Amino acid sequence: MKEAMLYTPLDENRVHCYLCSQHCRIDPGGIGKCGVRQNREGRLWSLVYGKVIAQHVDPVEKKPLFHFFPGTTSYSIATAGCNFKCLFCQNADISQSPGIYGYGVSISAEQIADRAQEHGCASISYTYTEPTIFMEYALDVAALAKERGLANVFVTNGYMSREALDAIAPFLGAANVDLKSFNDEFYQKQCGARLKPVLISLEGMKKRGIWLEVTTLIIPGLNDSDDELKQIAQYLVGLGAEIPWHVSRFHPAYRMGDIGPTPVETIRRARKIGLEAGIHYVYTGNIPGDAGESTLCHSCGAVLIRRVGYSISKQNLNNGACAKCGTVPAGIGMN
């Protein structure tokens, strides 16, 4: 347990937490919407500092990040909790269960950095749950990682406050942000959140020079219309046409078991919409072996990185540029 950052005392021992855009006002003894930050006698505490509930060595492509040191591994960690309440959560067992903050193995920041290096990882990813809610721990790990030459990656819903982004940005090399919909009603009903703060975070990350990739999980009947997909695509083009967009296939999960998997053709249609809007790199997700997994030169269409699931082979790359036309693909560590 560690005293939380980014909170303000209020009257009658209440506190205002502004770590994320939920802006919880928490009564004495109460816990924020994330389930892991508690007011104890007028002071706010993180209940999950150093309590790791998941840790794995993952391909960086699993985040997914396709333009950030492709082919490397990332030491991936999470604590319990989340500031969203997504009805379709893929990791509900470690993010949504009441009292989940009591679970996890105590591991120091130094041990995480050590393990990442021992496994030959190029980066540490803060993922599986929402990293914003374990920001105190993430900051300590990220500072050590940067000192040791390891990159840091956030896989996030983008709901951190501006102050939280200011704190972590100096240490972040890349982020994959879930843009779950372009409809505020979807965010309210399906996630217990709002759209605008996510867009503010995306724009803030771009402005701060963090490498960005964006993922949208396409759910039948909820966010799969041509109009909405075009809105997302047009927004991303305005933010930066070089930002990769991952359009992923939904599978029934958590409280959304009554909706079937997304048809493969819907995912391919979403990819086509993104490319036609002007996004340089649009990828199909959760369809192993699909042609939409590979990186193509956005100028001439040559295959630069062929992917089958998380297995990759680089082709037609010469010193980081397309061997056919000389165009340099966007990203970091692409050569």
Side-chain angles (χ1 to χ4, degrees), residues 11 71 73 89 106 133 135 142 163 185 194 236 310:
D11 59 356
T73 55
C89 182
S106 294
I133 60 93
M135 183 66 75
E163 293 86 353
E185 185 178 359
R194 305 299 295 263
L236 292 177
Y310 302 130

Side-chain angles (χ1 to χ4, degrees), residues 59 61-62 66 70-71 283-295 303-315:
E61 284 78 13
K62 190 176 181 180
F66 283 11
Y283 296 103
T284 55
N286 296 335
I287 312 174
D290 192 71
E293 292 183 309
S294 295
T295 297
V303 176
L304 303 181
I305 300 176
R306 188 175 301 280
R307 294 183 180 85
V308 178
Y310 302 130
S311 299
I312 77 167
S313 62
K314 296 181 181 179
Q315 303 175 4

